[in-house]
Amino acid sequence: MSKKTKNIIVAGVMMALLAVCLIGCSGGKIDPAEYLSEPEFSGCDGYGKAYVAFDEEGLITELIGEEPASMSDTSIEWLMLYEKYSENITCEYTRESLSNGDILVVTITATGDAAEKIKNVEVKYTVEGLPEVEYMDIFKDVEIQFSGISGEAMAKLSLTGSGDVLNACKFNIEPNNGLKNGDTVTVTIANTDSILNKFYTLPETESTTFTVSGLEYYATAEDIPMDVVQEIASQLVAEEQAENDSDPNFTYTDVELYGIFFMTGKKDAWADENQLHFVIHYDMLEDDGSIRFSYYIPFYIKDIIAAADGTVTIVREDCASPLFYDTVEDYIEKYEEDYGISQIG
């Protein structure tokens, strides 16, 4: 056999051994795809979820054998080896927001020592079978009522329709206290995810707005019906005059209307929302005709409310008069710290 022939034979044997080695190195790795379950798809089209079970424990057990039956040095070594492999194996895939026709790619990656015995693989599945989403006009069956005084009101929601989807909706109302006419409140469906998962249904809109209206409110000076107020003032003057005239012990000057005042409680003051005062005045006289006492008596009505259309009802019977003052200055000083005062008559 010639030297050239020997070289050719040796080279051929080496190539064969290399091929066997390469085949052995590749084929000897475990395919982790065998430990994947078929995917499970849930939800609905566009909002689908995927679940693929990966039997990592079975894969590692194939590599290192079953866990020893009893605690020993051997079992501790087994646990440490198991943890070492587990830390170097990952299984990743997109789990949410899936649509029919999407390709779900499950990637299993082995690193470190695990890479020497486990292949890196990608397994692809086609997303299918997800039902279509139904869209529903929830708010056509929703009404909102406002109650209380403007500035202090609250909102209450009611349903005008029925059905499983509508009844399952949970609503948030923001804001929902201290409401006044003209405010805007937003009603939002707070549990669209659970509605979607349970009924495969979504609202056409997740929120809508309502304008606060129709509330009574605390009257302003401009709301006061002056014709009615003037009549009540005349009645109060006549009543007080009759009472003075019937007093046999003292003499008084004629009773007169000093003024009609509207007071608005200041912010953060310890005060009523408003007060309407009818202030009448007269003097008690000495025998010589000099003034013995002066009386400034406010008959007042507090927290006057106007209807939504601005109508204000005031009657004589609502007037109270617990105090009187010797001077106008005393009267004004009593109220000016807590109220804005305007004379309206």
Side-chain angles (χ1 to χ4, degrees), residues 332-344:
I332 295 298
E333 184 179 348
K334 166 73 175 179
Y335 292 96
E336 63 183 355
E337 181 177 350
D338 294 330
Y339 292 89
I341 303 173
S342 59
Q343 185 169 356
I344 61 175

Side-chain angles (χ1 to χ4, degrees), residues 20-308:
V20 170
C21 180
L22 290 173
I23 293 170
C25 290
S26 174
K29 290 186 178 182
I30 296 175
D31 183 358
E34 296 176 3
Y35 292 86
L36 291 175
S37 70
E38 287 297 312
E40 297 177 7
F41 298 115
S42 61
C44 47
D45 191 22
Y47 301 89
K49 297 180 180 180
Y51 174 73
V52 180
F54 174 45
D55 184 11
E56 180 184 276
E57 181 178 352
L59 172 61
I60 297 175
T61 300
E62 181 178 344
L63 289 172
I64 66 175
E66 296 289 339
E67 180 179 4
S70 60
M71 289 298 294
S72 63
D73 291 343
T74 303
S75 65
I76 294 174
E77 291 174 1
W78 186 93
L79 290 170
M80 293 176 65
L81 188 58
Y82 185 99
E83 185 68 21
K84 184 178 180 181
Y85 277 111
S86 179
E87 290 176 350
N88 287 281
I89 301 171
T90 59
C91 179
E92 298 176 323
Y93 57 94
T94 301
R95 298 172 185 268
E96 297 182 345
S97 302
L98 299 173
S99 301
N100 288 325
D102 286 350
I103 301 301
L104 176 69
V105 180
V106 181
T107 302
I108 301 177
T109 305
T111 59
D113 291 344
E116 298 176 4
K117 297 186 177 181
I118 301 172
K119 294 179 182 179
N120 292 334
V121 298
E122 284 187 352
V123 184
K124 299 179 179 181
Y125 306 94
T126 300
V127 180
E128 57 186 2
L130 298 175
E132 295 294 320
V133 179
E134 179 181 352
Y135 290 89
M136 182 174 177
D137 183 4
I138 299 292
F139 288 104
K140 70 180 179 62
D141 293 318
V142 172
E143 289 185 351
I144 194 166
Q145 295 83 35
F146 302 104
S147 60
I149 304 297
S150 182
E152 303 174 358
M154 297 184 67
K156 182 179 180 181
L157 184 141
S158 62
L159 303 179
T160 60
S162 61
D164 291 340
V165 175
L166 182 63
N167 292 333
C169 289
K170 296 180 180 179
F171 299 93
N172 286 339
I173 304 173
E174 291 292 339
N176 194 22
N177 57 72
L179 301 177
K180 63 182 183 299
N181 288 323
D183 284 350
T184 298
V185 300
T186 300
V187 179
T188 303
I189 302 172
N191 61 330
T192 53
D193 286 347
S194 63
I195 296 297
L196 176 64
N197 292 335
K198 187 173 183 179
F199 301 104
Y200 303 147
T201 299
L202 283 174
E204 291 181 358
T205 56
E206 290 189 16
S207 64
T208 191
T209 59
F210 296 86
T211 300
V212 181
S213 62
L215 295 174
E216 298 178 329
Y217 61 94
Y218 289 108
T220 65
E222 291 74 20
D223 297 314
I224 301 302
M226 290 306 299
D227 54 343
V228 175
V229 167
Q230 292 291 356
E231 289 181 10
I232 293 174
S234 298
Q235 187 176 354
L236 292 171
V237 168
E239 291 172 1
E240 197 67 24
Q241 185 66 58
E243 184 175 342
N244 288 353
D245 290 343
S246 65
D247 187 346
N249 300 311
F250 298 99
T251 302
Y252 302 91
T253 58
D254 288 342
V255 178
E256 62 180 1
L257 177 67
Y258 177 80
I260 302 173
F261 299 87
F262 190 84
M263 302 186 181
T264 303
K266 294 180 180 179
K267 186 177 181 180
D268 299 327
W270 188 262
D272 297 317
E273 293 293 333
N274 59 41
Q275 290 189 3
L276 176 65
H277 287 220
F278 303 86
V279 181
I280 62 176
H281 167 254
Y282 59 87
D283 297 320
M284 178 186 289
L285 302 177
E286 298 283 7
D287 292 339
D288 62 3
S290 61
I291 297 175
R292 183 175 184 179
F293 290 112
S294 290
Y295 293 89
Y296 291 87
I297 305 174
F299 291 83
Y300 68 90
I301 306 172
K302 66 179 182 179
D303 291 335
I304 300 171
I305 294 174

Side-chain angles (χ1 to χ4, degrees), residues 309-331:
D309 63 0
T311 302
V312 173
T313 301
I314 297 174
V315 295
R316 160 67 183 89
E317 288 71 23
D318 291 335
C319 295
S321 179
L323 300 172
F324 70 89
Y325 300 89
D326 296 333
T327 66
V328 172
E329 290 75 18
D330 289 342
Y331 163 68

